[in-house]
Amino acid sequence: MTARIDDIVCPVPATPDQVLLAHGGGGRMMRRLIEELIVPALGDDPLLRPLHDGAVVTVEGTRLAFTTDSYVVRPLIFPGGDIAQLAVNGTVNDLAMCGARPLVLSIGLIVEEGLPMDLLRRLMESLGRAAAAAGVRIVTGDTKVVDRGKGDGLFINTAGVGVVVAPHPVEPAGVRPGDAVLLSGDIGRHGVAIMASRDGLAFETTIESDCAPLAEPVLRLLEAGVEVHCLRDLTRGGLGAALVEIAKTAGRRIEVEESAIPVRPDVQAACELLGLEPLYVANEGRFVAFVAPGEAERALSLLRSHPLGEQAARIGEVGGEGTDVVMTGPLGTARVIDLPSGEQLPRIC
Amino acid sequence: MTARIDDIVCPVPATPDQVLLAHGGGGRMMRRLIEELIVPALGDDPLLRPLHDGAVVTVEGTRLAFTTDSYVVRPLIFPGGDIAQLAVNGTVNDLAMCGARPLVLSIGLIVEEGLPMDLLRRLMESLGRAAAAAGVRIVTGDTKVVDRGKGDGLFINTAGVGVVVAPHPVEPAGVRPGDAVLLSGDIGRHGVAIMASRDGLAFETTIESDCAPLAEPVLRLLEAGVEVHCLRDLTRGGLGAALVEIAKTAGRRIEVEESAIPVRPDVQAACELLGLEPLYVANEGRFVAFVAPGEAERALSLLRSHPLGEQAARIGEVGGEGTDVVMTGPLGTARVIDLPSGEQLPRIC
């Protein structure tokens, strides 16, 4: 691999001998850890290789989507949500991003000794409500307790199974030249909400996480027969990382217009104060959809007909061969977007 | 609820205001936490209520088994296995206990900052080997990193999906009067192996964990058409807790012969030294099968034809209505077996 400028200026060695916090951040270090160590060690299953939000497995003729995520967000409760709601919506959204209708979830709790029982009850109730709101059933679970000082209150793993409704594979490799890139709404709220609550910052308005289940707006597209080539929710690493990952996997250049990307003024102001770039800030209720060029207007109308897609916008399109994501600014200057090296915010989800 | 003697002598309040280590031990405190707090808070889904090793869900006509477990064992590598092998076999075994053929696994890693990269690689390779040995594919995953001091090296969650091959539900409620209780082999090795390695104890022989994938011996029974009513692997809480859970859920009395339960002499000696009761010590490669009375001999022959069932034994039978597990000792005296209050060994799996 040729050295790149950001490898040279990066203060962290390319292959450190210990796992660093930055390896969990959704950036380049994480991609390397997964691609160069974890996937090869696990045996390089072709289903694991696409590094998509989930896997599609055919069982007795039925195409199932299957996915998992662990949630380690700090604090456990934040403006607009909590770890339990995040654990449900995150996995529901990963299933939706595979073009599937989410059906059932499992839940694995790792509780640190000393967690107040009332807090556990409150979070479990939130989990139940979030599942009901997303239309999924929690059907199996597991509880482990670790010694004080060996956990951090509560970690939650959820895995989920859904039925694929998209007729063709919905995945980065499905992206084609000319595809329209649609964004479902404004970006940056989840990360800013977490960061502000962690640092005890108060802005003029409380910025709440956008945490929400995305299956309904996605199914609205799929059930209307829109030709959707790829979907991706904008969690760790934000819109920037999602576009870079898709461009690299698809082997296609992606061109986006900065001015088309909605960012709320209060989120923009908070990002400036916190030294964050909204493009890389995590969201928990936003996604991009790559659709066939002739379908863009119909897809936008369908998205805008759902409360979670009211601000949906066409932000760009797919170009020819390549792996660059090029963003054109309001003054017409273009810059290449890359993965952040580590992460802007640790333990955001 | 009427007070019971062991509630009165138990030093821990019945409903403490914090989660305690003992809540994770597979005993009575854990059952209460799950039954009285977690399941009701989650919304009491009828599929969650049986508290079985996994759930069976019908998707487009196909009966799928779905299960999850998190692994927090300490140390990460122990005689006869490691956390990765445990994470694969534990979930494979839970699927088998639903009467299913395991197909695919997900893997969720929660890594503590500072974990040596070489150790992570070694464990991921072990995970890949264990999956290949068990005949399952790892198809999707997630990696999170938590700050130093907020985890304990590595926690692994696995969830799994399989196809149910048993024609009738295999679950505690399926147990019937007269059923033979079969045990697949000797008990107590996993817990003793962990405890000895943790305390740095050296016995004359190294006792190794029995950690193994149980799908093959289980499928041997099911594919031969043996009428299997219930299966349960003997993890946290051991054989004792498994029988008590099944008796309570089935509303049936279970009678077992102590002398029929195989325990290796070195394991028995180590248990005496460590103050453990083999009946409650965790296993990771042993299960009980409840089969129709006329099927017991055929089932035993089938089990004994597999290396993991060579020592399979008929240890008792199901009686009439009730919830007691009664064990008759070598001298003919009978005692009622109950769940341990908390746990004998924290973080055994």
Side-chain angles (χ1 to χ4, degrees):
Chain A
M1 189 176 261
T2 323
R4 301 167 59 123
I5 284 179
D6 30 34
D7 287 336
I8 295 163
V9 300
C10 172
V12 164
T15 51
D17 61 1
Q18 293 189 338
V19 177
L20 305 173
L21 212 44
H23 280 113
R28 207 163 55 242
M29 287 184 62
M30 180 163 168
R31 190 174 166 109
R32 276 196 177 174
L33 178 73
I34 293 173
E35 285 193 341
E36 295 172 18
L37 189 151
I38 296 178
V39 171
L42 290 179
D44 236 332
D45 194 293
L47 279 176
L48 198 54
R49 182 46 76 182
L51 302 177
H52 191 34
D53 286 334
V56 173
V57 186
T58 303
V59 177
E60 303 200 349
T62 301
R63 286 177 308 145
L64 300 174
F66 181 37
T67 188
T68 192
D69 262 320
S70 300
Y71 296 84
V72 299
V73 65
R74 207 163 35 88
L76 295 175
I77 298 174
F78 48 80
D82 59 48
I83 188 173
Q85 197 181 330
L86 205 59
V88 169
N89 290 338
T91 291
V92 160
N93 294 350
D94 281 349
L95 292 172
M97 298 306 130
C98 297
R101 176 187 302 283
L103 296 176
V104 290
L105 297 190
S106 66
I107 157 183
L109 306 176
I110 299 178
V111 186
E112 185 191 9
E113 183 186 18
L115 183 76
M117 205 58 92
D118 283 346
L119 180 56
L120 180 63
R121 182 178 288 109
R122 176 175 168 188
L123 291 171
M124 291 303 100
E125 286 167 353
S126 171
L127 217 148
R129 276 195 306 273
V136 290
R137 295 172 68 180
I138 298 164
V139 296
T140 191
D142 174 59
T143 305
K144 292 289 190 304
V145 182
V146 296
D147 345 25
R148 224 177 270 267
K150 300 293 182 184
D152 198 12
L154 179 66
F155 301 143
I156 302 182
N157 176 283
T158 44
V161 176
V163 176
V164 178
V165 296
H168 303 292
V170 173
E171 57 186 18
V175 164
R176 296 185 208 160
D179 278 359
V181 183
L182 310 182
L183 170 63
S184 70
D186 67 299
I187 62 169
R189 276 198 265 150
H190 178 71
V192 168
I194 297 286
M195 191 72 157
S197 74
R198 205 181 279 170
D199 292 352
L201 297 178
F203 301 110
E204 271 183 44
T205 52
T206 299
I207 296 169
E208 297 201 330
S209 168
D210 61 335
C211 185
L214 295 172
E216 276 187 13
V218 166
L219 289 170
R220 210 163 271 196
L221 296 181
L222 296 174
E223 287 171 352
V226 170
E227 194 181 323
V228 176
H229 295 154
C230 182
L231 296 163
R232 178 64 62 100
D233 57 345
L234 310 177
T235 56
R236 275 183 293 182
L239 174 62
L243 293 177
V244 172
E245 294 274 352
I246 292 168
K248 276 195 210 292
T249 309
R252 293 283 166 203
R253 181 181 168 90
I254 298 176
E255 289 152 7
V256 292
E257 291 283 340
E258 190 168 0
S259 59
I261 300 169
V263 181
R264 280 188 0 193
D266 56 352
V267 171
Q268 183 70 53
C271 280
E272 280 164 20
L273 194 73
L274 294 165
L276 300 173
E277 164 74 85
L279 194 65
Y280 296 116
V281 173
N283 312 272
E284 292 293 340
R286 294 291 177 264
F287 66 101
V288 283
F290 289 70
V291 303
E295 302 273 57
E297 283 313 309
R298 191 162 71 99
L300 274 180
S301 311
L302 286 162
L303 284 177
R304 288 178 184 151
S305 72
H306 192 280
L308 289 169
E310 276 172 0
Q311 283 191 276
R314 178 178 183 151
I315 62 165
E317 65 174 52
V318 176
E321 284 187 23
T323 54
D324 279 348
V325 177
V326 180
M327 189 160 83
T328 307
L331 301 179
T333 51
R335 62 178 172 121
V336 173
I337 302 298
D338 201 353
L339 285 183
S341 175
E343 60 186 331
Q344 293 191 312
L345 306 170
R347 297 184 55 193
I348 202 76
C349 61
Chain B
M1 190 179 260
T2 324
R4 303 168 58 126
I5 283 179
D6 32 33
D7 287 338
I8 295 163
V9 299
C10 172
V12 163
T15 50
D17 62 0
Q18 292 188 339
V19 177
L20 306 173
L21 212 44
H23 280 113
R28 207 163 52 242
M29 286 183 62
M30 180 163 165
R31 192 176 164 105
R32 276 199 178 172
L33 178 73
I34 293 173
E35 284 193 341
E36 296 172 18
L37 188 152
I38 296 178
V39 171
L42 289 179
D44 235 333
D45 192 293
L47 278 177
L48 199 54
R49 183 46 76 182
L51 303 178
H52 191 33
D53 285 332
V56 173
V57 187
T58 302
V59 178
E60 302 200 351
T62 301
R63 287 177 309 144
L64 300 175
F66 181 36
T67 189
T68 192
D69 261 319
S70 301
Y71 296 85
V72 300
V73 66
R74 208 163 37 87
L76 295 175
I77 298 174
F78 48 81
D82 59 48
I83 188 173
Q85 198 180 330
L86 205 59
V88 170
N89 290 337
T91 290
V92 161
N93 294 350
D94 281 350
L95 292 172
M97 298 305 130
C98 297
R101 175 188 302 282
L103 296 177
V104 290
L105 297 189
S106 67
I107 158 182
L109 306 177
I110 299 179
V111 186
E112 184 191 8
E113 184 187 18
L115 183 75
M117 206 57 93
D118 284 345
L119 180 56
L120 179 63
R121 182 179 288 109
R122 177 175 166 186
L123 291 171
M124 292 303 99
E125 286 167 352
S126 172
L127 217 147
R129 277 195 306 273
V136 290
R137 294 172 70 179
I138 298 164
V139 296
T140 190
D142 174 59
T143 305
K144 293 289 190 303
V145 182
V146 296
D147 344 26
R148 223 176 271 265
K150 300 293 183 185
D152 197 12
L154 180 65
F155 302 142
I156 302 181
N157 176 283
T158 44
V161 176
V163 176
V164 177
V165 295
H168 303 293
V170 173
E171 58 184 19
V175 165
R176 296 185 207 159
D179 277 359
V181 183
L182 311 182
L183 171 63
S184 70
D186 68 297
I187 63 169
R189 276 198 265 149
H190 177 71
V192 168
I194 297 288
M195 191 71 156
S197 75
R198 206 180 281 171
D199 292 352
L201 296 178
F203 301 110
E204 272 183 41
T205 52
T206 299
I207 296 169
E208 296 201 330
S209 169
D210 61 335
C211 185
L214 295 171
E216 276 188 12
V218 165
L219 289 170
R220 210 163 270 196
L221 296 180
L222 296 174
E223 286 171 352
V226 170
E227 195 182 320
V228 177
H229 294 154
C230 183
L231 296 162
R232 178 65 63 99
D233 57 346
L234 310 177
T235 56
R236 276 183 292 182
L239 174 62
L243 293 176
V244 171
E245 294 272 353
I246 292 169
K248 278 197 209 291
T249 309
R252 295 284 166 200
R253 180 181 168 90
I254 299 176
E255 289 152 8
V256 292
E257 292 283 340
E258 191 168 358
S259 59
I261 300 169
V263 182
R264 279 187 1 189
D266 56 352
V267 172
Q268 182 70 52
C271 279
E272 281 164 19
L273 193 74
L274 295 165
L276 301 173
E277 164 73 87
L279 194 66
Y280 296 117
V281 174
N283 312 272
E284 292 292 341
R286 294 292 177 262
F287 65 102
V288 284
F290 289 70
V291 302
E295 303 273 58
E297 284 312 310
R298 190 162 74 99
L300 275 180
S301 311
L302 286 162
L303 285 177
R304 288 178 185 151
S305 73
H306 192 279
L308 289 169
E310 275 172 2
Q311 282 192 276
R314 179 177 181 152
I315 63 164
E317 65 175 53
V318 177
E321 283 187 22
T323 55
D324 281 347
V325 177
V326 180
M327 189 160 82
T328 307
L331 302 178
T333 51
R335 63 179 172 119
V336 173
I337 301 299
D338 201 354
L339 285 183
S341 175
E343 60 185 331
Q344 293 190 313
L345 305 170
R347 297 185 55 193
I348 202 74
C349 59

